[in-house]
Amino acid sequence: MNKAELVKRVARHTGLTKADVLRVLDAVVVQVTRALRRGDEVKLVDFGTFLVSHRRARAAHNPYSGAAMKVPARRWPRFSPGKRLKALVR
């Protein structure tokens, strides 16, 4: 399902217009992104948690040349599904 399909289904389910649903969805995405950039977690009970994990710097090699290289440390967004979401998907 893509964004347009999600907006259409939520509009049909809630009785809101597609434009209203699109504004709300965009606002949610912006707020989740801002929270993750600050390093905060976003917990949606029964759905899951959006969080930022930290990857350490590590040594690697270039698969084409075989040359050694260093991969820098970085922050990486993650989603951890909640208990209820896991149960519903199974």
Side-chain angles (χ1 to χ4, degrees):
M1 174 184 323
N2 62 27
K3 186 176 180 179
E5 292 168 350
L6 178 62
V7 167
K8 187 167 115 180
R9 288 182 185 190
V10 171
R12 192 174 338 131
H13 183 76
T14 62
L16 297 172
T17 66
K18 288 182 186 178
D20 288 341
V21 172
L22 183 60
R23 276 197 298 276
V24 169
L25 181 59
D26 287 342
V28 168
V29 170
V30 165
Q31 294 306 314
V32 169
T33 302
R34 285 181 181 169
L36 293 177
R37 289 181 82 186
R38 286 191 309 265
D40 297 339
E41 291 184 356
V42 178
K43 296 179 182 183
L44 302 174
V45 177
D46 290 334
F47 183 72
T49 303
F50 296 92
L51 54 104
V52 177
S53 65
H54 300 276
R55 293 187 177 178
R56 293 178 292 180
R58 61 186 173 87
H61 71 280
N62 183 323
Y64 296 106
S65 67
M69 54 188 282
K70 197 169 195 176
V71 177
R74 64 177 64 194
R75 296 170 6 136
W76 197 257
R78 272 192 27 203
F79 175 74
S80 178
K83 208 188 276 188
R84 185 165 182 225
L85 179 60
K86 286 180 188 177
L88 290 171
V89 171
R90 289 185 192 151

